[in-house]
Amino acid sequence: MKKIQSKFSSSWNHRARTAEVDAGANRLALISQRFDDGWSAIEQGRFGDARHSFQVVLSLQPDHFGALQLLGAIELHAHRYKNASKLLARALEINRGHAESLYNYGAAMHGLGHLTTALDSYDAALAIKPDYPDALYNRGNALLELKRYQDALDSYDRAIKARSDFAEAHSNRANALHALRRFDEALDSYDSAISCKPDYSIAHATASYALRIGLPLLTLAGRSFASRVADSLLVAMGLPELVAHSQDQYQLSLWWQTAPTGRSPAGSSHS
């Protein structure tokens, strides 16, 4: 009886091990397939489908570095900075030597307003890829927000050296020069941005010229490129009061700048 039981157990264990091997192979095949699906979806711009595919991969293998870092990049692209930072932090626990993940983690922390942490992560990415133009550009942006204008300028210069046709870097370099009150150089940098991308920088040239000759430049904050350009210029030059944050505020500010002295706009009163 003992031998029969032993033989039966051995046979059952063999079948169980075979089933486990088969299940493991199927699981690995599914992980590989869903990861490839996610990558294909990214290439086609179907970020929602890619997000779902990588979530499936992580449900099967929570420490899958590729899925963690790509899902983090998707969350970053969607401005879901908190989710992105958590995913990318997990990816970096697995591989601290991946420059793109370090850059994306920095961008996520930048989006959350943690500028010092963002700078540290950009610097870590640059330690691996010293000529990484996007990291140099975002590093410059963080320094600009911290009002470290010369350091920002140096970072933009490095970004442009790495990618000479980097219009955004030329443009934000001009913002740093504006803040340093080097207006002629700023205009030259705006011209370089226009040369790189002619349909990109008309707003920069117009806004910078108006500010340079002392004209008031009122802008309505918004998501459009022109709004963001004028907003960044005015804040960099210490004129945030010229940025309106609603249509009513914009119209009222415009009226006060153009109306004859002593008159009030309709529906308002002042003493």
Side-chain angles (χ1 to χ4, degrees):
M1 185 68 179
K2 204 169 188 180
K3 290 182 179 179
I4 294 173
Q5 181 64 39
S6 176
K7 186 176 181 180
F8 176 81
S9 297
S10 175
S11 176
W12 183 86
N13 286 338
H14 174 72
R15 289 198 300 272
R17 285 195 298 272
T18 301
E20 287 174 3
V21 169
D22 290 343
N26 290 338
R27 177 172 165 274
L28 290 175
L30 179 59
I31 289 170
S32 179
Q33 181 60 57
R34 295 316 297 264
F35 183 81
D36 289 345
D37 290 344
W39 182 250
S40 295
I42 286 178
E43 291 182 318
Q44 296 168 23
R46 296 184 290 108
F47 296 109
D49 292 340
R51 186 171 186 259
H52 176 69
S53 291
F54 294 136
Q55 286 172 334
V56 172
V57 171
L58 292 173
S59 71
L60 297 168
Q61 185 179 335
D63 62 348
H64 192 292
F65 173 77
L68 285 168
Q69 65 101 359
L70 288 172
L71 184 54
I74 290 170
E75 296 295 274
L76 179 62
H77 179 76
H79 306 295
R80 292 188 285 262
Y81 300 121
K82 189 172 183 179
N83 288 348
S85 67
K86 290 179 179 178
L87 288 160
L88 291 161
R90 286 169 58 191
L92 290 169
E93 287 177 0
I94 299 167
N95 181 5
R96 288 287 303 177
H98 192 252
E100 286 75 15
S101 293
L102 287 163
Y103 163 74
N104 283 337
Y105 180 73
M109 299 307 288
H110 197 158
L112 291 169
H114 304 312
L115 297 179
T116 301
T117 303
L119 279 173
D120 289 343
S121 201
Y122 295 145
D123 285 340
L126 290 165
I128 298 168
K129 290 177 64 174
D131 297 328
Y132 192 166
D134 293 316
L136 289 164
Y137 171 71
N138 266 19
R139 180 178 182 272
N141 293 343
L143 291 164
L144 193 64
E145 291 180 55
L146 290 167
K147 302 187 186 304
R148 292 169 54 184
Y149 301 124
Q150 184 59 54
D151 290 336
L153 180 62
D154 294 342
S155 200
Y156 293 134
D157 284 341
R158 289 175 61 194
I160 291 165
K161 184 177 180 181
R163 188 194 302 167
S164 61
D165 63 347
F166 199 159
E168 293 83 355
H170 283 288
S171 176
N172 281 7
R173 178 180 185 274
N175 291 343
L177 287 164
H178 259 291
L180 292 167
R181 307 190 68 78
R182 292 159 59 178
F183 298 120
D184 289 337
E185 293 173 78
L187 283 177
D188 289 341
S189 199
Y190 286 130
D191 287 341
S192 295
I194 294 170
S195 297
C196 294
K197 192 182 291 187
D199 61 344
Y200 173 88
S201 299
I202 294 173
H204 282 91
T206 303
S208 62
Y209 181 73
L211 290 168
R212 183 184 178 194
I213 64 176
L215 292 176
L217 178 70
L218 179 65
T219 191
L220 176 62
R223 296 180 64 85
S224 71
F225 175 71
S227 292
R228 290 184 286 110
V229 165
D231 189 335
S232 65
L233 283 174
L234 289 164
V235 170
M237 295 191 72
L239 298 170
E241 66 273 14
L242 292 178
V243 181
H245 295 278
S246 71
Q247 189 68 43
D248 288 342
Q249 184 186 0
Y250 179 83
Q251 291 174 344
L252 184 60
S253 297
L254 183 62
W255 192 94
W256 283 119
Q257 289 196 36
T258 60
T261 304
R263 291 186 54 191
S264 299
S268 70
S269 63
H270 68 285
S271 56

